[in-house]
Amino acid sequence: MDIPSGWSHSDDGKALLRTYEFADFSEAFAFLTRVAMEAEKADHHPEFTSVWNKVKFRLTSHDAGGVTERDVKLAKIIDSLR
Ligand SMILES: C[C@H](O)[C@H](O)[C@H]1CNC2=NC(N)=NC(=O)C2=N1
């Protein structure tokens, strides 16, 4: 499966990973808010961790137990919101 550039597969192959860095926490959180609204629309939700100016995503399809086209689509949406 082709994945968008900037994303990688987790070691177990079950998720797509990407870390974004921002100027500060406020920028990072504003980005997360945009992602949250689009994830709701897509009915596909990212796992994420946030530490000050960095946001790390892990995309997987729980029902399928791995990466599907829904994750690839969400990755592209997230990229478009950066
Ligand atoms: C019913 C609804 O479509 C499912 O629960 C969705 C919601 N969001 C989801 N998000 C993610 N990342 N994986 C899923 O399998 C998933 N399932």
Side-chain angles (χ1 to χ4, degrees):
M1 181 186 298
D2 277 350
I3 63 173
S5 80
W7 292 81
S8 62
H9 288 282
S10 58
D11 286 341
D12 65 8
K14 292 184 174 176
L16 299 181
L17 308 177
R18 182 166 190 175
T19 302
Y20 290 91
E21 194 170 328
F22 298 85
D24 54 27
F25 177 76
S26 181
E27 292 292 322
F29 202 85
F31 170 66
L32 266 179
T33 304
R34 297 194 294 277
V35 170
M37 290 187 294
E38 292 304 316
E40 272 293 276
K41 280 190 210 161
D43 192 26
H44 202 64
H45 304 88
E47 296 175 22
F48 60 84
T49 55
S50 133
V51 177
W52 183 45
N53 67 336
K54 292 192 182 73
V55 179
K56 194 185 292 188
F57 289 104
R58 180 176 184 279
L59 309 185
T60 189
S61 296
H62 304 111
D63 47 3
V67 178
T68 67
E69 285 300 333
R70 300 185 80 195
D71 300 296
V72 172
K73 195 175 160 194
L74 182 59
K76 289 175 183 169
I77 290 170
I78 291 172
D79 286 341
S80 77
L81 299 169
R82 175 63 173 89

